[in-house]
Amino acid sequence: MRALVVSDIHGNLHALEAVLGVAQDHAGGGFDQVWNLGDVVGYGARPNEVIDLLRPMATIHVRGNHDRVCCGLTSSQGFNPVAAQAAAWTRLHLRPDNREWLRAVPMGPIRASDRAMCAHGSPLHEDQYIASMRDAWTPLQRMETEITFFGHTHVQGGFSQRAHDWAEDRPVYAEPRGNTTEYVTQAVPPGSRHLINPGAVGQPRDGDWRAAFAIYDDVLEEVTFFRTPYDVAAAQAAIREAQLPERLALRLSTGS
Ligand code: ZN
């Protein structure tokens, strides 16, 4: 089984379409399932189109903090002003059926396969950021499966443990920020524990503007991280046309 793992699409239809194209055509065998780690909406200008595409395709949907706020389950208290403005715009523009669907998306962690769970922030709390080994230590000990896929930080990579060995795993690409699709494979053998972030499809914050995703192969016991270029100018034009904050358009060019 090969699962395409996507997170933090954030209403960026152009990035999602590029990811699906690459995952189907170039990823050495396509994928059998899609696992969505949340934040499908908020920030980007195409929330309905993203949901329409992803909703029937994914077998696992986990809600993210922006999903929760954009469908009205919780307020935007705690969001910075730009995030709050985007959430208000999204709430106004979501079609009623998509809004209802979002409201019903479950909180993580959700069991996805024998060895893997899916979460938004952390397997212990949906809003927790796992940005360092210090953040990763307790979840790695406590999670119920050997592997948890998570998102929320918009930074691709993860943390792993085998007995007393701990490692931070950041995929290293030959041409970071380049205009090509690249991938890096990491083994996830039985007996080791892994927190794995596929990166953000729609708003990367790790300095590489390319859309990020991962494919998990449970037969080969490996995860492949991908970065792929997409039409950033078109995503930015949509944000400007929607009169969303300019910062949301600008940051897509730099991945910051
Ligand atoms: Zn997010």
Side-chain angles (χ1 to χ4, degrees):
M1 189 280 305
R2 286 163 60 87
L4 166 62
V5 190
V6 290
S7 191
D8 297 282
I9 301 165
H10 281 291
N12 188 337
L13 180 69
H14 299 88
L16 178 61
E17 286 177 337
V19 162
L20 292 173
V22 170
Q24 271 149 6
D25 299 339
H26 301 287
F31 52 87
D32 309 303
Q33 297 188 12
V34 180
W35 298 351
N36 157 33
L37 309 183
D39 278 4
V40 290
V41 300
Y43 296 137
R46 295 284 182 268
N48 290 306
E49 293 85 343
V50 164
I51 293 177
D52 290 344
L53 188 54
L54 197 69
R55 180 176 166 178
M57 187 182 276
T59 45
I60 302 279
H61 292 283
V62 178
R63 78 175 183 195
N65 53 321
H66 286 257
D67 300 329
R68 205 178 60 215
V69 171
C70 291
C71 71
L73 279 176
T74 55
S75 82
S76 59
Q77 205 176 11
F79 274 23
N80 66 54
V82 167
Q85 201 179 326
W89 181 93
T90 305
R91 201 189 285 203
L92 200 63
H93 288 83
L94 271 180
R95 278 200 330 261
D97 64 310
N98 282 338
R99 183 170 177 272
E100 288 313 304
W101 175 76
L102 259 191
R103 289 176 77 93
V105 172
M107 180 171 66
I110 293 173
R111 188 68 169 250
S113 72
D114 287 353
R115 289 187 69 207
M117 311 267 267
C118 289
H120 183 63
S122 146
L124 305 183
H125 194 287
E126 61 180 342
D127 287 354
Q128 184 190 346
Y129 287 92
I130 301 179
S132 66
M133 186 58 91
R134 195 188 166 99
D135 301 332
W137 196 85
T138 304
L140 273 172
Q141 304 298 304
R142 293 212 194 140
M143 60 199 206
E144 287 171 26
T145 48
E146 287 188 323
I147 301 170
T148 300
F149 291 96
F150 73 101
H152 197 39
T153 62
H154 300 208
V155 173
Q156 190 179 52
F159 305 90
S160 57
Q161 180 201 359
R162 177 161 225 167
H164 295 295
D165 291 332
W166 297 76
E168 183 167 351
D169 309 306
R170 292 265 172 257
V172 177
Y173 295 103
E175 289 181 78
R177 302 174 293 281
N179 209 24
T180 57
T181 294
E182 294 187 274
Y183 61 92
V184 173
T185 296
Q186 177 191 336
V188 289
S192 57
R193 297 174 79 78
H194 302 267
L195 278 164
I196 294 171
N197 190 331
V201 170
Q203 195 200 76
R205 292 179 196 161
D206 48 13
D208 192 331
W209 62 274
R210 297 175 295 178
F213 65 99
I215 289 186
Y216 168 52
D217 189 318
D218 71 349
V219 176
L220 297 177
E221 289 163 348
E222 64 185 28
V223 171
T224 304
F225 294 103
F226 286 81
R227 297 309 279 245
T228 193
Y230 72 97
D231 192 345
V232 170
Q236 290 173 319
I239 285 171
R240 289 177 178 130
E241 194 185 320
Q243 297 186 303
L244 281 156
E246 177 63 14
R247 161 91 178 115
L248 296 175
L250 289 175
R251 69 188 308 171
L252 295 182
S253 318
T254 51
S256 61

